[in-house]
Amino acid sequence: QVQLVESGGGLVQAGGSLRLSCAASGRTFSSYAMGWFRQAPGKEREFVAAISRNSGSTNYADSVKGRFTISRDNAKNTVYLQMNSLKPEDTAVYYCAAWVGGTGVTGAQVNYWGQGTQVTVSS
């Protein structure tokens, strides 16, 4: 019902910025909260940020608060993650996600996943 395709990952120097995009398709896209998770090699997938279906609420992991901003453009069926002041520990594959519910979310709750996009931060 929902397909998610991420883009915008790449290699960036510490302190730099990247903007990730997640293009969504499907007739029930507006019914889902959206967000981003990330997974570094050898580590579990972890929550990064979430936004409600009407953009009325957002939630961020403590590790990215003040540096990352999630937004969505319903007219374009696209979710964004603006990442500023990047650190080497932000290096991971970033996955777009969609689920039914609020902005408090675990990976097990996610209904749809994107394919992932690599973000590498060098120091």
Side-chain angles (χ1 to χ4, degrees), residues 22-56:
C22 174
S25 62
R27 297 181 65 85
T28 60
F29 168 72
S30 63
S31 298
Y32 294 89
M34 302 289 297
W36 295 88
F37 288 70
R38 67 187 182 186
Q39 187 168 24
K43 300 185 68 176
E44 294 184 346
R45 191 169 298 186
E46 66 176 354
F47 169 76
V48 176
I51 188 166
S52 61
R53 55 193 289 270
N54 63 356
S55 300

Side-chain angles (χ1 to χ4, degrees), residues 11-123:
L11 175 65
V12 65
Q13 190 175 16
S17 298
L18 285 173
R19 183 177 174 86
L20 305 183
S21 297
C22 174
S25 62
R27 297 181 65 85
T28 60
F29 168 72
S30 63
S31 298
Y32 294 89
M34 302 289 297
W36 295 88
F37 288 70
R38 67 187 182 186
Q39 187 168 24
K43 300 185 68 176
E44 294 184 346
R45 191 169 298 186
E46 66 176 354
F47 169 76
V48 176
I51 188 166
S52 61
R53 55 193 289 270
N54 63 356
S55 300
S57 180
T58 58
N59 189 30
Y60 298 93
D62 288 342
S63 59
V64 306
K65 284 181 179 177
R67 300 188 298 120
F68 291 9
T69 303
I70 188 170
S71 62
R72 68 191 294 167
D73 185 340
N74 288 340
K76 296 182 178 180
N77 295 322
T78 302
V79 178
Y80 305 95
L81 185 68
Q82 179 66 47
M83 305 186 295
N84 299 325
S85 301
L86 283 162
K87 305 174 181 180
E89 50 263 45
D90 295 318
T91 296
V93 176
Y94 283 70
Y95 295 91
C96 185
W99 63 91
V100 176
T103 55
V105 62
T106 64
Q109 185 180 343
V110 172
N111 298 104
Y112 301 97
W113 294 100
Q115 83 285 356
T117 185
Q118 177 71 47
V119 172
T120 302
V121 184
S122 63
S123 61

